[in-house]
């Protein structure tokens, strides 16, 4: 796939490098070309495959068969607007979290879908960026599970493939209306982690889940 990444920060670096290493074509982007150009060079060297490209928001949106929004939540509206009409009808992966000040009435993924007309898939928002640098993210012999929330079957299929390319297991999290639950989960578990708790320990094994 051709993957356009809106952003040139740590998430763009971690996920984009892995996907480039897996054989996908990647373009990173930013407000200017200084940071994206430097990041593209580093990613190219790390991935050892096809050169990672860099461009503007609009160029990355046009480039990608799939586009990923990897910017801070407070800047997302501005970036999506700058990316322009090329996002309409495309799979758009939303990895953002609105921390602190989470507003359950304004889920980021729904705002992104309404603003762009893209087929938004919420994913990759529950793990620290360093997890996405692991090859692969496996803990105690179990690959990391990545929940996906979205409405469009083709967009979900493409993102499932990208999850699998990381060595992770895609998990169906329901429609885009449930993305707000993923965002709320991130707020809750990140708070536990920063408080010194093992957030993973709050969930029982599946055989004890009831039902």
């Amino acid at each position: 796939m051709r993957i356009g990444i809106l952003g040139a920060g740590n998430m763009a670096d971690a996920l984009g490098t892995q996907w480039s290493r897996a054989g996908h074509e990647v373009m990173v982007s930013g407000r200017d070309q200084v940071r994206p150009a430097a990041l593209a060079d580093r990613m190219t060297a790390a991935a050892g495959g096809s050169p990672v490209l860099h461009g503007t928001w609009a160029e990355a949106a046009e480039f990608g068969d799939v586009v990923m929004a990897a910017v801070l939540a407070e800047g997302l509206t501005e970036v999506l607007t700058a990316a322009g009409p090329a996002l309409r009808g495309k799979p758009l992966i939303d990895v953002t979290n609105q921390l602190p000040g989470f507003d359950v009435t304004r889920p980021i993924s729904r705002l992104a879908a309404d603003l762009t007309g893209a087929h938004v898939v919420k994913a990759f928002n529950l793990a620290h960026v360093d997890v996405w640098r692991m090859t692969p993210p496996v803990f105690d012999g179990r690959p990391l599970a990545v929940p996906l929330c979205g409405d469009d079957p083709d967009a979900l299929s493409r993102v499932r493939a990208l999850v699998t390319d990381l060595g992770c297991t895609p998990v169906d999290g329901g429609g885009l209306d449930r993305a707000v639950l993923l965002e709320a989960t991130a707020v809750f578990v990140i708070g536990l982690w920063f408080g010194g708790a093992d957030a993973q320990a709050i969930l029982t094994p599946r055989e004890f889940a009831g039902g």
Side-chain angles (χ1 to χ4, degrees), residues 88-210:
R88 180 167 296 278
K90 283 190 177 183
L92 175 63
I93 305 170
D94 170 26
V95 306
T96 57
N97 283 316
Q98 45 177 324
L99 293 172
F102 177 74
D103 182 355
V104 72
T105 67
R106 292 176 59 81
I108 299 171
S109 290
R110 177 55 64 188
L111 289 174
D114 291 345
L115 180 64
T116 63
H119 298 305
V120 176
V121 177
K122 188 79 182 187
F124 305 112
N125 70 310
L126 295 184
H128 189 273
V129 64
D130 287 343
V131 171
W132 307 123
R133 300 186 194 280
M134 298 173 66
T135 52
V138 174
F139 301 90
D140 296 326
R142 183 177 62 182
L144 181 69
V146 180
L148 313 177
C149 291
D151 294 331
D152 184 76
D154 178 65
L156 286 165
S157 177
R158 288 174 180 266
V159 180
R160 285 190 199 101
L162 293 175
V163 170
T164 302
D165 284 340
L166 299 175
C168 300
T169 302
V171 176
D172 180 11
L176 193 63
D177 60 324
R178 292 175 61 84
V180 65
L181 302 180
L182 264 185
E183 295 172 11
T185 298
V187 174
F188 187 75
V189 299
I190 290 171
L192 292 179
W193 286 324
F194 274 92
D198 179 3
Q200 192 175 42
I202 68 176
L203 299 176
T204 61
R206 184 172 59 180
E207 57 266 29
F208 294 102

Side-chain angles (χ1 to χ4, degrees), residues 43-66:
M43 292 169 68
T44 298
S50 299
V52 174
L53 307 176
H54 64 91
T56 65
W57 306 126
E59 287 169 341
E62 183 68 36
F63 173 85
D65 302 315
V66 175

Side-chain angles (χ1 to χ4, degrees), residues 12-23:
D13 182 10
L15 289 168
T17 298
Q18 297 282 33
W19 289 328
S20 179
R21 189 176 287 131

Side-chain angles (χ1 to χ4, degrees), residues 76-90:
L76 184 62
T77 297
E78 176 189 350
V79 170
L80 293 178
T81 300
L87 291 174
R88 180 167 296 278
K90 283 190 177 183

